[in-house]
Amino acid sequence: LQPLHATPGAGIVRVLTRDSCGLRATADITGYLAAQSARQCGPCRNGLPRLAETLGALAYDGRCEPREITRLAALVDGRGACHHPDGAARLVRSALTVFADDIPLHQRGTCCVAHETPGAWSLR
Ligand code: SF4
């Protein structure tokens, strides 16, 4: 990843196939990250579950504005006792940029990959 000036971020690598939706995949990963913390700090107890829920609402139901997701990511960033929430926030911000063209599709109730099966996201 170094030649691309990229890092593994939260330490998760997920390969997107041609029939994968990047927004939904990111919502799934964010839900996983929210579920894996000890929930001892505010960002993990409240922020990450809310961030995952909000991103999932956009990715799966088209019900959320990206601005709200960005706001929640900023709220958890740098506020934990470790960098777990920071990595999740970076992942989410990156996904909103990389998959920006897909967001209007989701808001109109469709998806870049209409036939994708739901992922492992489980905080809904
Ligand atoms: S910020 Fe780190 S230490 Fe605090 S609850 Fe989250 S994972 Fe645990």
Side-chain angles (χ1 to χ4, degrees):
L1 295 174
Q2 200 169 24
L4 301 172
H5 306 289
T7 67
I12 295 173
V13 175
R14 176 165 170 179
V15 177
L16 294 178
T17 60
R18 287 177 188 271
D19 58 352
S20 296
C21 168
L23 283 176
R24 289 182 175 180
T26 306
D28 293 345
I29 295 169
T30 307
Y32 173 81
L33 293 173
Q36 295 306 306
S37 84
R39 299 188 182 205
Q40 294 187 6
C41 305
C44 285
R45 192 168 46 244
N46 302 312
L48 285 188
R50 182 75 184 123
L51 182 60
E53 180 182 295
T54 307
L55 181 58
L58 172 66
Y60 282 98
D61 302 322
R63 282 190 292 110
C64 178
E65 286 296 322
R67 199 174 319 147
E68 173 63 6
I69 299 168
T70 304
R71 186 185 75 80
L72 290 168
L75 282 177
V76 303
D77 208 358
R79 299 240 169 105
C82 75
H83 294 296
H84 180 71
D86 308 355
R90 251 193 332 267
L91 168 74
V92 169
R93 278 195 294 265
S94 174
L96 291 179
T97 300
V98 172
F99 304 117
D101 291 347
D102 298 338
I103 292 173
L105 293 174
H106 285 259
Q107 289 174 319
R108 288 196 300 268
T110 182
C111 176
C112 48
V113 186
H115 59 278
E116 189 197 25
T117 54
W121 185 55
S122 59
L123 292 177
R124 296 203 287 175

